[in-house]
Amino acid sequence: MDLTALRTANPEHWTKAAAIRALTLDAIHAANSGHSGMPMGMADVATVLYEKHLKFDASAPNWPDRDRFILSAGHGSMLLYSLLYLTGNPDITLEQIKNFRQMGALTAGHPENFLASGIETTTGPLGQGISNAVGFAMAEEVQRARYGKKVVDHYTYVIAGDGCLMEGVSQEAIGLAGRHELSKLIVLWDNNNITIDGTVDIADRTDQVARFKASGWQVIEIDGHNPAEIDAALTKAKSSNKPTMIACKTHIALGHAAQDTSKGHGALTDPDQLKAAKDAYGWDHGAFEVPADVLDAWRAIGSRGSADRVEWEERFAQISERKQGEFRRAYAFEAPKKLSGAIRALKKQVSEEQPKWATRKSSEEVLKVVNPIVTETVGGSADLTGSNNTKTDDMGIFLPENRKGRYIHWGIREHGMAAAMNGMALHGGIRPYGGTFMCFTDYARPAMRLAALMKIPTVFVMTHDSIGLGEDGPTHQPVEHLAISRATPNTYVFRPADTVETAEAWEIALSAKETPSVLSLTRQGLPTVRTQHKTKNLTAQGAYVLAEAEGKRQAILIATGSEVAIAMEAKAKLEAEGIGTRVVSMPCMELFAQQDEAYRKRVLPAGAVRVGIEAAVRDGGWDRWLLGERGREAKAGFVGMSSFGASAPADELYEKFGITAEATVAKVKDLLG
């Protein structure tokens, strides 16, 4: 690669791009770790994008109508950090660049959205960023249809590498984008033909251009180091009625001894090679030094969008005060004031009528009340709408011809659905929820984990939550999935016992601002156990006394979901034999753990034997509540699963695996001796 020709062809562009490359080399050298090659290879593309196309204002990085820039190849985080510093982002200072990857720095090894403004999403797990971007683009379409082009009119740009496109979730994402004609989504593929192990062809021979075209995208192929070609491609992309992939042919670690090699992917820290690369760039400045004229040029880019922002604020002020309030409330993840009253009214009705519904049906009934009130909800299902019960009649279907639709048919794409829902939440102004079977949390898991890490309130509706789904058998019967979900930090896992608890769980999920929720819902019908109406949201306490012992309390039965009814039946049998038994419903262990110790002790006092009942494995956080928080307060047992299930009707399965009132009674008696 003739760097001299590149330098002389467009010196002003070259020096701005060289600043990114030099900062990358300096930061990774100082940290002695990181990924140098991608920022060095994509610096030209990023420079043209920021200088000529990206709509943003560095002084107001959270301006709602900004263009979104997503670094899907998150290992190249120094590209993003360099851009944020150079353009004048208030959070990413030179000191933060100098402390790249160090304790307490905002410049983490991979971009983390909650650390600094200007970082739209947390990337690093490859394929997640491009999949989030589909959700960003969908959210833009939904909001533009609702508020109008004068208020919502922006693009989502993505830099993705070979690794992002190899991950299976990327195909789910690009298929969705093509189907929905997300024309304001533009992906810049860093086509450098290098992965950690070597050249791409040692593992893959996919024709990416053909693949994107087949998925309904416009594709443009360019030299990723030619600023004129980059500019022209971006201009063309914005005039298309399809999403666009720009294949940018680049050289990883451009200008370094490791250029075009797998070594170039990682940390380039050799001081002599670093100096030689800077010399090749014509960069004769000290470590972390950006000349004033170059920095001024970048800062001018960062401030260019301030006029656009001011104009947008003027346009926004012209819409009705009601719409302004809705817009601001939704972006703040504030629940509408009417929500709690509507939930209370539904709870009262259910407590009086006492229907026997599967909690997936209960969820649908709650959504019928909720969706007309929480108008920023966008729902969907991974091809299981009739099973997940996630659609209500007022929503309409999201399609190219109906951008006002709030229901998405995600297809058989659990991972893509979950990642795109995260993108919607990150975009702002949308409350996404989507459904699949509980056992398919396995497919959605990487995105569910990132929702928790990113502190966003995505709602995962997981039905058919136990062996109670019956004849579909063990491939579809989740036994370990509650444990996996509960083991994930910053996640609410709700397993409601009836419609009342389901309504309360939804109220919490739709009021959360920084925590995703997993709703674990049944296929089989359940009796209403909350027959006495309580205005208070008891599920918000995580666990509560559902039924008190009639005589001296000797046993405490702790149950979730469908097994609460079994606990109530066992209580009746035990009380008939003079064994005073308290039943505790525990719809959310995480919320119970957040209560003060005094409350937890009132619900689970010492002195009685404890039996947990759940059609899942015991590993799901149970021992803390069964054995006591110090591990020795109670004699305890568990009625549940220790193996996979089987294919048979639900009643037969519960009998076979011993999840019955009779088995519970026997367990209590054994513990009492």
Side-chain angles (χ1 to χ4, degrees):
M1 192 76 185
D2 185 354
L3 297 194
T4 302
L6 291 177
R7 287 167 51 187
T8 57
N10 193 328
E12 290 184 5
H13 163 85
W14 178 263
T15 54
K16 288 192 283 284
I20 296 172
R21 295 177 171 116
L23 285 172
T24 294
L25 286 166
D26 290 337
I28 290 171
H29 179 262
N32 198 34
S33 74
H35 300 83
S36 309
M38 193 282 280
M40 295 165 71
M42 285 295 280
D44 294 305
V45 172
T47 299
V48 174
L49 173 63
Y50 268 67
E51 182 174 14
K52 297 185 181 297
H53 295 274
L54 194 73
K55 182 176 70 173
F56 75 110
D57 179 1
S59 68
N62 295 323
W63 163 36
D65 200 39
R66 69 192 180 278
D67 288 341
R68 271 60 168 181
F69 170 59
I70 295 170
L71 185 67
S72 189
H75 57 277
S77 56
M78 267 310 302
L79 177 71
L80 178 55
Y81 300 147
S82 297
L83 289 163
L84 292 174
Y85 162 64
L86 290 167
T87 54
N89 178 278
D91 292 335
I92 304 301
T93 62
L94 187 59
E95 196 63 25
Q96 292 292 341
I97 297 288
K98 289 179 178 178
N99 284 284
F100 176 58
R101 287 181 160 235
Q102 304 309 299
M103 180 67 74
L106 305 181
T107 46
H110 293 82
E112 296 176 15
N113 67 297
F114 49 88
L115 289 182
S117 60
I119 302 173
E120 301 288 0
T121 181
T122 295
T123 54
L126 295 176
Q128 289 295 316
I130 189 173
S131 305
N132 292 161
V134 172
F136 275 84
M138 284 180 164
E140 193 273 346
E141 294 282 2
V142 170
Q143 290 198 314
R144 180 152 39 90
R146 180 170 184 180
Y147 294 101
K149 191 173 181 179
K150 289 183 178 180
V151 176
V152 180
D153 185 21
H154 53 263
Y155 287 86
T156 300
Y157 296 95
V158 183
I159 285 181
D162 293 305
C164 290
L165 301 191
M166 281 194 211
E167 290 286 357
V169 70
S170 71
Q171 182 57 41
E172 297 184 25
I174 70 169
L176 281 163
R179 167 63 186 94
H180 289 289
E181 298 175 16
L182 301 177
S183 60
K184 300 183 82 82
L185 174 61
I186 299 171
V187 171
L188 298 146
W189 170 34
D190 179 18
N191 179 17
N192 61 38
N193 196 43
I194 294 294
T195 64
I196 292 174
D197 279 358
T199 56
V200 167
D201 59 14
I202 68 171
D204 191 36
R205 68 191 317 168
T206 302
D207 182 338
Q208 298 292 354
V209 168
R211 175 191 177 203
F212 274 80
K213 286 181 178 178
S215 299
W217 290 56
Q218 171 182 238
V219 179
I220 306 168
E221 298 181 72
I222 64 168
D223 176 354
H225 300 298
N226 184 319
E229 288 190 27
I230 299 165
D231 184 22
L234 286 164
T235 300
K236 183 178 179 181
K238 290 191 287 188
S239 66
S240 177
N241 60 2
K242 298 179 178 181
T244 298
M245 189 271 268
I246 303 174
C248 307
K249 188 58 185 171
T250 60
H251 295 271
I252 197 168
L254 181 74
H256 192 277
Q259 178 180 312
D260 298 329
T261 70
S262 58
K263 187 179 188 307
H265 170 88
L268 303 178
T269 58
D270 181 273
D272 293 333
Q273 292 180 352
L274 184 152
K275 183 179 184 306
K278 286 187 175 182
D279 288 344
Y281 301 152
W283 192 267
D284 57 357
H285 312 290
F288 299 104
E289 181 184 347
V290 179
D293 61 330
V294 179
L295 187 58
D296 287 346
W298 269 111
R299 293 292 160 90
I301 293 169
S303 63
R304 184 195 66 236
S306 61
D308 290 331
R309 176 181 56 80
V310 170
E311 289 176 10
W312 177 84
E313 289 170 348
E314 292 170 353
R315 294 195 302 272
F316 183 74
Q318 293 171 6
I319 66 174
S320 70
E321 289 187 8
R322 180 185 63 81
K323 278 200 168 183
Q324 288 183 47
E326 286 179 1
F327 187 92
R328 292 193 180 103
R329 178 189 59 74
Y331 263 83
F333 286 133
E334 297 283 356
K337 292 179 181 178
K338 292 182 179 179
L339 177 63
S340 59
I343 293 292
R344 285 197 298 271
L346 178 62
K347 286 165 54 178
K348 187 173 189 298
Q349 177 186 343
V350 169
S351 293
E352 292 170 353
E353 296 178 0
Q354 299 181 23
K356 185 177 181 179
W357 286 338
T359 49
R360 62 172 177 160
K361 169 66 173 175
S362 302
S363 175
E364 180 183 33
E365 295 301 314
V366 176
L367 288 171
K368 287 178 182 178
V369 171
V370 162
N371 280 331
I373 295 171
V374 190
T375 53
E376 65 271 23
T377 55
V378 173
S381 168
D383 200 54
L384 291 167
T385 295
S387 295
N388 300 147
N389 297 56
T390 42
K391 183 179 178 294
T392 57
D393 291 339
D394 61 304
M395 302 187 84
I397 306 301
F398 177 83
L399 290 166
E401 56 271 22
N402 183 26
R403 296 309 199 191
K404 290 185 178 180
R406 293 164 51 205
Y407 192 81
I408 299 171
H409 289 293
W410 293 104
I412 304 91
R413 299 183 177 101
E414 295 87 358
H415 194 178
M417 173 182 74
M421 287 198 300
N422 286 347
M424 289 182 172
L426 289 160
H427 176 279
I430 300 289
R431 282 261 184 195
Y433 70 85
T436 187
F437 290 165
M438 186 75 182
C439 63
F440 298 146
T441 56
D442 288 339
Y443 290 160
R445 166 77 183 148
M448 295 173 72
R449 178 179 186 269
L450 281 173
L453 177 62
M454 293 191 287
K455 304 178 183 179
I456 51 174
T458 314
V459 181
F460 303 98
V461 182
M462 301 304 191
T463 70
H464 297 59
D465 73 338
S466 72
I467 60 170
L469 68 86
E471 292 86 343
D472 275 341
T475 59
H476 283 53
Q477 292 167 1
V479 294
E480 74 275 34
H481 299 76
L482 280 167
I484 292 168
S485 298
R486 287 172 180 154
T488 306
N490 188 40
T491 301
Y492 294 147
V493 182
F494 295 101
R495 191 160 187 259
D498 64 5
T499 306
V500 175
E501 285 191 357
T502 304
E504 291 178 337
W506 266 112
E507 182 180 15
I508 297 163
L510 293 174
S511 301
K513 293 185 177 182
E514 295 188 341
T515 303
S517 297
V518 177
L519 273 66
S520 176
L521 307 174
T522 69
R523 179 192 183 217
Q524 71 272 33
L526 305 180
T528 299
V529 295
R530 285 275 292 279
T531 55
Q532 184 178 357
H533 174 62
K534 299 286 186 182
T535 299
K536 186 176 183 180
N537 187 323
L538 300 184
T539 298
Q541 298 172 296
Y544 61 92
V545 178
L546 177 65
E548 187 52 279
E550 295 172 16
K552 179 184 177 183
R553 184 175 58 244
Q554 298 181 63
I556 300 175
L557 306 181
I558 312 168
T560 77
S562 45
E563 286 67 73
V564 173
I566 292 174
M568 292 295 286
E569 185 182 347
K571 168 186 166 58
K573 293 178 181 295
L574 288 164
E575 296 280 3
E577 297 186 36
I579 301 172
T581 303
R582 169 184 284 190
V583 173
V584 170
S585 179
M586 188 174 280
C588 183
M589 290 184 180
E590 296 77 25
L591 286 171
F592 187 54
Q594 291 176 13
Q595 306 307 304
D596 61 53
E597 185 178 13
Y599 175 76
R600 298 197 305 269
K601 284 186 174 180
R602 285 199 301 275
V603 174
L604 297 177
V609 301
R610 301 178 187 178
V611 174
I613 316 169
E614 185 173 72
V617 297
R618 179 170 175 167
D619 297 335
W622 273 102
D623 281 1
R624 177 178 180 181
W625 313 119
L626 292 176
L627 302 177
E629 297 190 51
R630 294 171 181 80
R632 58 180 184 275
E633 286 105 283
K635 292 174 67 177
F638 184 73
V639 173
M641 298 294 292
S642 58
S643 67
F644 292 112
S647 179
D651 291 347
E652 294 179 26
L653 289 169
Y654 271 79
E655 190 71 34
K656 171 180 171 57
F657 290 103
I659 306 174
T660 62
E662 291 75 17
T664 303
V665 168
K667 183 73 70 174
V668 168
K669 288 182 175 180
D670 182 60
L671 290 167
L672 288 172

